[in-house]
Amino acid sequence: MATAGGGASVAYLGCRDLLCLLSFCVLLAGLCGGNSVERKIYIPLNKTAPCVRLLNATHQIGCHSSISGDTGVIHVVEKEEDLQWVLTDGPNPPYVVLLEGTLFTRKVMEKLKASTSRIAGLAVSLAKPSPASGFSPSVQCPNDGFGVYSNSYGPEFAHCREIQWNYLGNGLAYEDFSFPIFLLEDENETNVIKQCYRDHNLSQNGSAPAFPLCAMQLFSHMHAVISTVTCMRRSSIQSTFSINPEIVCDPLSDYNVWSMLKPINVSGTLEPDDRVVVAATQLDSRSFFWNVAPGAESAVASFVTQLAAAEALHKAPDVTTLPRNVMFVFFQGETFDYIGSSRMVYDMEKGKFPVQLENIDSFVELRQVALRNSLKLWMHTDPMSQKNESVRNQVEHLLTTLEKSGAGIPAIILQRPNQSQPLPPSSLQRFLRARNISGVVLADHATIFHNRYYQSVYDTAENINVSYPERQSPEEDLNFVTDTAKTLADVATVLGRTLYQLAGGSNFSDTIQADPQTVTRLLYGFLVRANNSWFQSILRQDLRSYLGDGPLQHYIAVSSPTNTTYVVQCALANLTGKVTNLTREQCQDPSKVPNENKDLYEYTWVQGPLNSNETERLPQCVRSTARLARALSPAFELGQWGSTEYSTWTESRWKDISARIFLIASKELEAFSWNHDHGTLKWL
């Protein structure tokens, strides 16, 4: 499985100490003489994130290095004029460019891409604060060609002809680069590199700097090439004829998370006249760099809101008697041509999922709901399906129900966009491809996205205004109710009340109220610090290592379930399920317990809360309807690697991902070291 690592770890040294160590190495090389590669010493950069290669049916995108890594003299580019040294003037190419985050633009990248003979690689530092003008490496028309609009269905809306939803998208994440590109995630490491550059590489009065020179080496060789069709065929041939097959790529895949308001038998399918209201949102995001996908606005705010709505709805006293059921679903892989939703639709059509398409009564989806610059929340619908009078009437009922539910929440004003406007990118589009259903997508934008950092490293807690008072402990931050949490709790309340009424409820709608405390804990856990007391209490013991001291990342990846998927499933179970008095053994095998049924419920043995002394946890068994369903594109199920109907995204495999810096003692040693990059001194 493709994994990333930063090389040998070292105890942290200050910037000057590291440079002294590098200088000592150069001095030693001079004293000993000779051209041995072991007279170089490397300082590994342990907090980096690579750009990796992804492939689909027609082409490859992303970045890669040569098989032995790419090495170049470091040149810091802090303003666009600094590029001239790298592109034309510098006498010691190739160069590894340390690029300020504000200059990571299409204009600059096109210049570097056109000069590959002089560029060995790129290290990008994070811009602080985030670029004021915005930054989105995604495309302007996300998931183009895989939604509902086409030349035969709403051709005037196909390819985002009417609205370029992500108008700031520069498309860099969908370009192919022939050199490695790394993100520098640690400011201390960035400062070490800059100091090394200032001490050794800085030109004086335009003259060439003297040796020794500070260099960087980047390893990110990718095994897959050309397209998914090519790499899957190669992997298939290897698997068929080789004892030790070399798999070169893997499909992007994970699991959708779903649950029912009222339990259903998952070993069969619902009857045709059983009606289900679907509440949907997406789990994943991405950025230019591998597994750096904070997704605060593009994913987290919406799925946190849906989790809070599910909790609120489950507390209604008459939910078990409602005439219609409610399904909460969190789709994985939607960033990559709707992997999760297209798989669920496929499974529904094939009778491989308990709920069928014909069971769906209505569909409510959350898509980017955190950046309302007013009280307005926009209700997007599909104009094409509403040409059918029955669907139009159902959509009208859906909209009026939402408006009625929002009437009691002063902080929310439900608004209708222009009726002839298409749907924004959404999972609902995949369901409409299969069946005309009444659906609505709730978003904070009427037309173009408000999110200036869509699918970028800057779509963080700060982007949705999540912040905390200074000098608070992590536990105090966890429980501090932010303004954003209050706002999203209001949205969750509107959603909960709407779902209750759509399911046929009427008596307790006004009592449904989302808990801002739940929202604030979820936001803190997903966007700030996953390793917190609440997340630890709701997870299984074997999943403890999934919680790091920073935020979770929401890239779908190829090894599954991902951290996000597990935590969302456990949070959903905790918020909507019930604690039982089953023992650990009974919880793990409830089939032997009277009145317990694994076809109706999922049983999870979790760590539980701390005892009164806060010395140990009190484990418990949670019974819920929160389950996982495969989110692997049907293209791979069918062996249709060149499909235009389903997502075909794969991720290349690799052996080594690492970055390191060192000093080159002379021109002769430079020429030698460019071609011999694997020896390292173990003095660290």
Side-chain angles (χ1 to χ4, degrees):
M1 195 59 62
T3 57
S9 62
V10 297
Y12 174 73
L13 297 172
C15 177
R16 290 287 179 182
D17 294 330
L18 285 171
L19 293 174
C20 287
L21 190 58
L22 285 168
S23 299
F24 173 72
C25 171
V26 173
L27 176 62
L28 186 68
L31 291 173
C32 296
N35 278 336
S36 171
V37 71
E38 291 194 351
R39 294 183 184 125
K40 296 187 296 181
I41 190 168
Y42 297 103
I43 303 298
L45 303 174
N46 294 316
K47 294 185 178 180
T48 62
C51 161
V52 304
R53 175 170 290 163
L54 302 176
L55 310 97
N56 67 10
T58 57
H59 61 288
Q60 64 185 31
I61 63 172
C63 320
H64 77 116
S65 75
S66 62
I67 194 167
S68 58
D70 291 325
T71 306
V73 173
I74 296 169
H75 190 75
V76 175
V77 173
E78 296 178 325
K79 55 186 183 298
E80 200 166 333
E81 294 75 28
D82 295 338
L83 286 172
Q84 184 174 339
W85 184 266
V86 173
L87 300 178
T88 58
D89 296 353
N92 296 302
Y95 290 93
V96 170
V97 176
L98 197 167
L99 188 69
E100 290 295 319
T102 52
L103 293 176
F104 188 44
T105 63
R106 172 166 281 279
K107 179 182 178 183
V108 169
M109 292 305 294
E110 285 179 346
K111 289 182 178 180
L112 296 175
K113 197 173 181 180
S115 301
T116 53
S117 63
R118 294 181 60 87
I119 304 299
L122 186 65
V124 182
S125 64
L126 280 171
K128 293 183 178 180
S130 301
S133 58
F135 174 76
S136 174
S138 185
V139 291
Q140 294 186 341
C141 188
N143 292 350
D144 186 22
F146 290 86
V148 69
Y149 302 115
S150 65
N151 291 334
S152 59
Y153 186 98
E156 65 271 33
F157 307 132
H159 311 300
C160 298
R161 289 191 179 104
E162 182 168 305
I163 301 173
Q164 293 290 317
W165 294 98
N166 184 36
Y167 75 106
L168 285 175
N170 59 33
L172 284 178
Y174 291 84
E175 292 282 329
D176 184 41
F177 295 92
S178 60
F179 49 81
I181 303 177
F182 280 60
L183 175 68
L184 301 174
E185 298 184 274
D186 183 80
E187 194 170 353
N188 289 326
E189 290 189 340
T190 302
N191 289 336
V192 166
I193 301 168
K194 288 184 175 181
Q195 190 61 51
C196 189
Y197 164 79
R198 286 191 290 266
D199 289 348
H200 298 280
N201 298 6
L202 199 57
S203 170
Q204 300 295 329
N205 301 319
S207 61
F211 285 90
L213 296 176
C214 191
M216 185 182 295
Q217 188 175 44
L218 302 173
F219 293 93
S220 62
H221 180 65
M222 299 287 129
H223 296 179
V225 296
I226 302 177
S227 69
T228 288
V229 175
T230 301
C231 76
M232 288 297 291
R233 184 188 299 124
R234 178 180 166 188
S235 296
S236 178
I237 292 171
Q238 284 275 330
S239 298
T240 303
F241 297 105
S242 176
I243 298 175
N244 299 305
E246 181 188 0
I247 306 302
V248 296
C249 67
D250 301 280
L252 294 182
S253 67
D254 195 59
Y255 289 86
N256 299 322
V257 180
W258 67 285
S259 73
M260 302 298 296
L261 183 63
K262 297 183 289 184
I264 62 173
N265 191 327
V266 297
S267 64
T269 58
L270 296 180
E271 295 296 324
D273 57 350
D274 290 333
R275 308 303 291 164
V276 176
V277 179
V278 176
T281 191
Q282 81 172 63
L283 281 180
D284 65 303
S285 185
R286 71 165 302 201
S287 75
F288 186 89
F289 301 99
W290 183 79
N291 205 32
V292 180
E297 162 72 336
S298 61
V300 176
S302 295
F303 72 66
V304 162
T305 301
Q306 182 156 296
L307 285 167
E311 178 190 36
L313 182 56
H314 271 263
K315 291 179 179 178
D318 61 342
V319 291
T320 59
T321 62
L322 295 177
R324 288 177 284 280
N325 211 337
V326 177
M327 180 171 77
F328 294 95
V329 59
F330 302 77
F331 290 119
Q332 184 62 274
E334 296 302 272
T335 300
F336 293 95
D337 299 336
Y338 305 117
I339 293 173
S341 56
S342 64
R343 178 53 184 263
M344 183 166 281
V345 170
Y346 174 83
D347 286 344
M348 286 179 170
E349 290 177 318
K350 302 299 181 182
K352 297 180 179 180
F353 192 78
V355 179
Q356 307 293 286
L357 286 171
E358 63 187 11
N359 297 125
I360 297 177
D361 181 81
S362 52
F363 194 107
V364 184
E365 181 172 355
L366 297 179
R367 278 272 173 165
Q368 300 194 91
V369 295
L371 290 177
R372 291 185 295 124
N373 53 16
S374 67
L375 302 180
K376 296 176 182 178
L377 189 65
W378 296 91
M379 304 180 291
H380 297 267
T381 59
D382 171 43
M384 299 303 297
S385 59
Q386 291 181 73
K387 292 180 179 180
N388 178 296
E389 184 178 359
S390 174
V391 174
R392 183 169 65 250
N393 292 337
Q394 292 170 12
V395 170
E396 181 60 32
H397 172 67
L398 180 52
L399 297 179
T400 55
T401 302
L402 273 162
E403 289 165 343
K404 179 182 175 182
S405 300
I409 311 296
I412 304 288
I413 298 176
L414 279 301
Q415 291 280 298
R416 304 187 185 198
N418 189 314
Q419 195 171 4
S420 63
Q421 183 176 298
L423 283 170
S426 52
S427 306
L428 175 57
Q429 292 202 30
R430 290 301 303 194
F431 282 79
L432 287 171
R433 280 175 74 126
R435 186 181 180 91
N436 265 3
I437 58 177
S438 62
V440 62
V441 177
L442 299 178
D444 56 24
H445 49 88
T447 53
I448 57 176
F449 294 167
H450 286 174
N451 187 1
R452 294 175 300 143
Y453 306 112
Y454 180 73
Q455 292 181 3
S456 87
V457 296
Y458 303 111
D459 191 8
T460 60
E462 180 184 2
N463 186 34
I464 60 172
N465 304 313
V466 172
S467 61
Y468 303 90
E470 294 182 2
R471 293 183 291 277
Q472 282 193 166
S473 67
E475 193 68 19
E476 289 172 326
D477 285 347
L478 170 67
N479 293 294
F480 178 79
V481 179
T482 63
D483 290 339
T484 299
K486 295 173 185 176
T487 299
L488 293 179
D490 285 336
V491 178
T493 297
V494 172
L495 176 60
R497 293 179 180 182
T498 299
L499 296 173
Y500 176 77
Q501 294 174 59
L502 292 174
S506 58
N507 297 328
F508 300 99
S509 180
D510 292 343
T511 67
I512 295 172
Q513 188 77 40
D515 186 357
Q517 187 77 51
T518 294
V519 176
T520 211
R521 285 180 166 188
L522 289 166
L523 289 174
Y524 180 80
F526 284 110
L527 295 176
V528 181
R529 185 185 177 93
N531 187 13
N532 61 73
S533 60
W534 187 53
F535 272 13
Q536 286 286 2
S537 72
I538 66 176
L539 254 62
R540 303 195 315 255
Q541 187 174 12
D542 61 307
L543 299 179
R544 286 182 303 174
S545 62
Y546 280 46
L547 302 179
D549 290 335
L552 289 172
Q553 303 300 326
H554 310 293
Y555 172 63
I556 179 175
V558 298
S559 56
S560 58
T562 63
N563 300 18
T564 296
T565 300
Y566 267 136
V567 176
V568 168
Q569 184 193 16
C570 291
L572 184 60
N574 175 270
L575 296 171
T576 63
K578 293 183 178 180
V579 175
T580 70
N581 59 2
L582 299 182
T583 66
R584 180 172 185 170
E585 292 71 24
Q586 290 172 328
C587 192
Q588 293 172 341
D589 185 12
S591 61
K592 298 177 182 178
V593 182
N595 302 319
E596 300 295 345
N597 190 336
K598 282 210 78 168
D599 287 336
L600 295 179
Y601 297 103
E602 189 81 0
Y603 298 81
T604 310
W605 187 255
V606 300
Q607 295 189 93
L610 290 168
N611 62 12
S612 57
N613 296 327
E614 297 191 355
T615 56
E616 59 182 23
R617 294 196 173 274
L618 304 172
Q620 54 196 17
C621 183
V622 176
R623 182 181 65 200
S624 74
T625 63
R627 300 177 182 273
L628 301 180
R630 200 78 175 96
L632 170 68
S633 171
F636 300 100
E637 191 94 347
L638 300 168
Q640 297 175 359
W641 305 323
S643 174
T644 57
E645 171 70 14
Y646 298 113
S647 172
T648 56
W649 285 105
T650 54
E651 179 187 272
S652 174
R653 287 197 179 188
W654 60 80
K655 281 190 172 68
D656 182 32
I657 295 285
S658 62
R660 51 195 183 179
I661 62 172
F662 61 97
L663 293 181
I664 296 293
S666 67
K667 188 72 176 176
E668 292 75 20
L669 186 57
E670 174 192 17
F672 181 82
S673 67
W674 270 195
N675 296 293
H676 297 78
D677 289 327
H678 287 300
T680 60
L681 289 176
K682 301 300 183 182
W683 299 349
L684 298 182

